[in-house]
C-alpha cells in the first residue's frame, strides 16, 4: 500500500518521519524519496537481517538522512524525542522474507524449525510453547490470538503427541493439525490460525502494538500523522480501540465508561478516515498477500 501510505503521511522536505517496521525498507525508501532532499527518517525493526538489508539499501541513495536501530517499535519514544515527528508508519505482521525463509519457522509451506522469533536474540521459540505449555494454556493462545474454534481439541492432541515425540519442526505441527482437520478442498490450511496464534504469542505482538501506539502518540508533533497497516482483526481491534480512546472528547475513571461520570477533555487525535483503507485491485493482483491489509490513519491534534 505504498501510494496510500504516502498519501496518508504526506512526506515533505525537512520533515521527520519514523518507520517502526522497516522490513524490506520499501516504505522507508519512498518516504525518504518524497521528502528529499532534507527529510529525515528514524527506523527500526526487530529482525537483524532486515535491519542490515535496510541500511545497505537506504545508504545507496539516502546516506546521511536516516538513523536505523535494531529493536521493537514499542521503544520508539525511548530514542526519538517527544513531539518531534511529522509522521509514523507501523506496517504490522510478518514480512514476506520471513515467511519465505524456512529456517525462520514462520510458515507451514516450508519445513523448518518451529521457531517464529522476529528477533533471534530472544530465547523463547514457538517450540518452547508447543512443548512446555499445558493444554489449557495452549488452547487459550489458539483461541485468543487465532480465533481457532477447535482450540481445545488441537491443544489436547499436541500434548498427547509431544509425550511420544517433541515438536521440533513446522511440518510436524502442520501435519498433526491437518490430520485432525482435513482440508477437504478448503483454500486455507487448517493450521493457519494455529501458526498465527503461536507467532503472536512468541513475539508478544499485541503487547508490543499497545506500547508502540502509545509511543507514537508521544513522538508525533501536533498535525503529525500515524499510519498503521494491520493484517488481521485482532491487530485492527487494538488500533481502533487506541483511536477511540485518543479521539474521545471526554475521560472517565475505572474500566467502565459510565456516561454520568464522564469528564470533558480535549481530544488528543482525530481520525483521517472513519473506514479502513484497503488495497486496490492492482496491488491485490501484484501482491496477493496484501488481501487482508487495512490502513488506518490518525492525526495528532
Amino acid at each position: 500500500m505504498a501510494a496510500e501510505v504516502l498519501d496518508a503521511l504526506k512526506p515533505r522536505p525537512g520533515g521527520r518521519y519514523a518507520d517502526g517496521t522497516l522490513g524490506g525498507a520499501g516504505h522507508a525508501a519512498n518516504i525518504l524519496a518524497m521528502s528529499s532532499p532534507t527529510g529525515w527518517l528514524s527506523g527500526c525493526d526487530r529482525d537483524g537481517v532486515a535491519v542490515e538489508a535496510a541500511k545497505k539499501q537506504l545508504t545507496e541513495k539516502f546516506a546521511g538522512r536516516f538513523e536505523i536501530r535494531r529493536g521493537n517499535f514499542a521503544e520508539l519514544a525511548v530514542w526519538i524525542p517527544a513531539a518531534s515527528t511529522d509522521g509514523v508508519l507501523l506496517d504490522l505482521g510478518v514480512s514476506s522474507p520471513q515467511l519465505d525463509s524456512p529456517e525462520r519457522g514462520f510458515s507451514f509451506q516450508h519445513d523448518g524449525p518451529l521457531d517464529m522469533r522476529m528477533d533471534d536474540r530472544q530465547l523463547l521459540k514457538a517450540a518452547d510453547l508447543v512443548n512446555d505449555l499445558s493444554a489449557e494454556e495452549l488452547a487459550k493462545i489458539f483461541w485468543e490470538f487465532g480465533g481457532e474454534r477447535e482450540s481445545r481439541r488441537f491443544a489436547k492432541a499436541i500434548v498427547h503427541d509431544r509425550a511420544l515425540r517433541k515438536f521440533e519442526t513446522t511440518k510436524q505441527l502442520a501435519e498433526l493439525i491437518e490430520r485432525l482437520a482435513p482440508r477437504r478442498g478448503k483454500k486455507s490450511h487448517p493450521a493457519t490460525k494455529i501458526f498465527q496464534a503461536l507467532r503472536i504469542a512468541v513475539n508478544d505482538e499485541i503487547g508490543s502494538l499497545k506500547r508502540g501506539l502509545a509511543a507514537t502518540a508521544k513522538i508525533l508533533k501536533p498535525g503529525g500523522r500515524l499510519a498503521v497497516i494491520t493484517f488481521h482483526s485482532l491487530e485492527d481491534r487494538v488500533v481502533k480501540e487506541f483511536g477511540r480512546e485518543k479521539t474521545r472528547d471526554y475521560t472517565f475513571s475505572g474500566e467502565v465508561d459510565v456516561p454520568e461520570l464522564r469528564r470533558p477533555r480535549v481530544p488528543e487525535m482525530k481520525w483521517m478516515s472513519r473506514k479502513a483503507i484497503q488495497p486496490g485491485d492492482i496491488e491485490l493482483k501484484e501482491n496477493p498477500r496484501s488481501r487482508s491489509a487495512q490502513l488506518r490513519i490518525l492525526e495528532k491534534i
Side-chain angles (χ1 to χ4, degrees):
M1 302 184 76
E4 292 85 352
V5 166
L6 291 177
D7 187 56
L9 298 183
K10 301 190 183 305
R12 56 177 175 74
R16 301 184 72 86
Y17 305 91
D19 185 345
T21 47
L22 273 171
H27 287 299
N30 289 336
I31 291 169
L32 284 167
M34 194 166 176
S35 64
S36 290
T38 53
W40 176 267
L41 179 90
S42 300
C44 67
D45 201 291
R46 287 197 261 186
D47 190 323
V49 175
V51 166
E52 292 308 311
K55 286 180 180 178
K56 182 178 180 180
Q57 179 183 335
L58 297 179
T59 298
E60 293 178 1
K61 291 185 178 181
F62 310 109
R65 293 182 50 212
F66 64 85
E67 178 184 6
I68 292 177
R69 297 191 181 190
R70 184 179 183 183
N72 193 324
F73 60 72
E75 302 159 354
L76 284 172
V78 174
W79 58 286
I80 298 178
S84 66
T85 309
D86 295 286
V88 181
L89 169 65
L90 300 180
D91 186 359
L92 306 178
V94 64
S95 68
S96 290
Q98 288 170 334
L99 283 172
D100 295 336
S101 300
E103 66 273 12
R104 302 298 299 273
F106 283 102
S107 174
F108 45 76
Q109 303 290 349
H110 315 281
D111 192 23
L114 199 53
D115 193 318
M116 302 192 191
R117 293 173 297 168
M118 291 181 175
D119 186 341
D120 61 12
R121 299 171 299 181
Q122 175 183 305
L123 295 179
L124 183 67
K125 303 178 183 179
D128 298 320
L129 299 182
V130 172
N131 290 315
D132 297 339
L133 294 186
S134 67
E136 291 76 14
E137 291 170 321
L138 284 172
K140 184 178 181 182
I141 287 174
F142 299 160
W143 172 249
E144 291 188 356
F145 296 152
E148 176 52 67
R149 295 185 178 185
E150 297 280 356
S151 58
R152 292 184 182 276
R153 187 164 74 97
F154 291 164
K156 288 178 181 178
I158 287 171
V159 171
H160 175 272
D161 279 27
R162 78 188 187 197
L164 304 174
R165 181 190 177 194
K166 292 288 187 182
F167 283 89
E168 297 178 349
T169 70
T170 56
K171 184 179 180 181
Q172 276 180 273
L173 181 58
E175 286 183 345
L176 169 62
I177 302 303
E178 190 167 15
R179 190 166 69 245
L180 294 168
R183 297 181 75 164
R184 295 195 178 95
K186 294 180 181 177
K187 289 184 178 180
S188 61
H189 194 286
T192 300
K193 294 179 180 179
I194 298 299
F195 272 67
Q196 172 186 298
L198 287 171
R199 189 201 80 217
I200 291 172
V202 166
N203 297 289
D204 185 27
E205 291 182 37
I206 300 305
S208 292
L209 177 55
K210 290 178 179 179
R211 296 191 299 274
L213 291 171
T216 65
K218 293 178 182 178
I219 66 174
L220 280 170
K221 296 177 180 178
R225 289 186 175 182
L226 167 64
V228 186
I229 301 175
T230 63
F231 287 87
H232 57 78
S233 60
L234 187 57
E235 291 174 338
D236 193 49
R237 197 178 309 133
V238 172
V239 176
K240 287 191 291 185
E241 178 54 37
F242 170 80
R244 280 194 291 268
E245 195 276 325
K246 292 298 181 182
T247 58
R248 277 200 300 255
D249 59 1
Y250 66 87
T251 187
F252 58 90
S253 301
E255 297 182 1
V256 180
D257 180 3
V258 180
E260 290 79 12
L261 300 179
R262 291 174 178 174
R263 302 186 303 276
R265 72 161 189 192
V266 177
E268 296 179 52
M269 308 181 90
K270 64 180 180 180
W271 289 110
M272 298 312 296
S273 173
R274 282 291 177 182
K275 291 186 177 181
I277 299 169
Q278 298 179 330
D281 292 338
I282 295 177
E283 176 154 5
L284 287 172
K285 186 176 181 179
E286 295 178 350
N287 179 21
R289 285 176 176 167
S290 70
R291 62 187 180 279
S292 56
Q294 294 194 100
L295 170 65
R296 293 190 184 275
I297 309 158
L298 287 158
E299 183 176 286
K300 190 170 182 178
I301 296 175

